[in-house]
Amino acid sequence: MAFAVPPDERAVGKARRILRDALISWGAEADEEIPDAELVASELLTNALRHAPREELALTAAEGGGSLLIEVEDGGNPASVPTVQQAVPEEAVSGRGMTIVDAVAESWSWRPLPDGRRSTWALLPWHSEATR
């Protein structure tokens, strides 16, 4: 499942709903895998919106082999790569997104794409068995 996400923070909620519907159609239980997948997708999208050039994003989800891949492609920004902030002041209202992804995901990373864009991805445990 892949779809475009406009470069607007209001689009993150719609992207979560589309992801939720796809995961349910794949057999996910609403109270098990879905909340973590929505959280990771939200954080990856929000991070891309805040730190990459403002252009259309792409959200991809794929399951298999006991894992769920959540991937966000953005405009790429060589001056800013996704990292886990080591010390975020308690009063800060941002800066914890990749720390959250790091805590929830089995693994995550990023890679430059040939067209200058960037992909940031996370793998989550996936136990649902889809029958498609």
Side-chain angles (χ1 to χ4, degrees):
M1 183 248 1
F3 60 95
V5 179
D8 181 339
E9 289 187 18
R10 295 173 294 198
V12 174
K14 182 177 181 183
R16 274 194 317 266
R17 288 188 293 279
I18 292 169
L19 176 62
R20 170 182 280 274
D21 290 345
L23 297 180
I24 289 170
S25 76
W26 295 351
E29 296 293 328
D31 59 345
E32 293 180 13
E33 291 124 338
I34 292 176
D36 285 348
E38 288 178 316
L39 178 62
V40 166
S42 293
E43 295 301 337
L44 293 180
L45 286 166
T46 300
N47 195 59
L49 286 167
R50 292 201 175 142
H51 300 289
R54 302 291 272 192
E55 58 184 64
E56 192 170 83
L57 308 171
L59 175 66
T60 301
E63 52 88 14
S67 294
L68 174 67
L69 171 71
I70 305 288
E71 180 178 29
V72 170
E73 288 184 19
D74 63 41
N77 181 351
S80 174
V81 298
T83 59
V84 174
Q85 300 278 339
Q86 296 303 318
V88 178
E90 191 173 306
E91 65 277 0
V93 296
S94 66
R96 296 176 186 86
M98 295 311 296
T99 302
I100 292 168
V101 171
D102 190 60
V104 173
E106 292 177 333
S107 62
W108 72 271
S109 190
W110 70 276
R111 62 187 169 91
L113 299 173
D115 62 1
R117 293 172 56 85
R118 172 179 55 205
S119 164
T120 306
W121 57 265
L123 285 178
L124 301 171
W126 180 257
H127 305 293
S128 296
E129 295 201 20
T131 48
R132 292 193 291 284

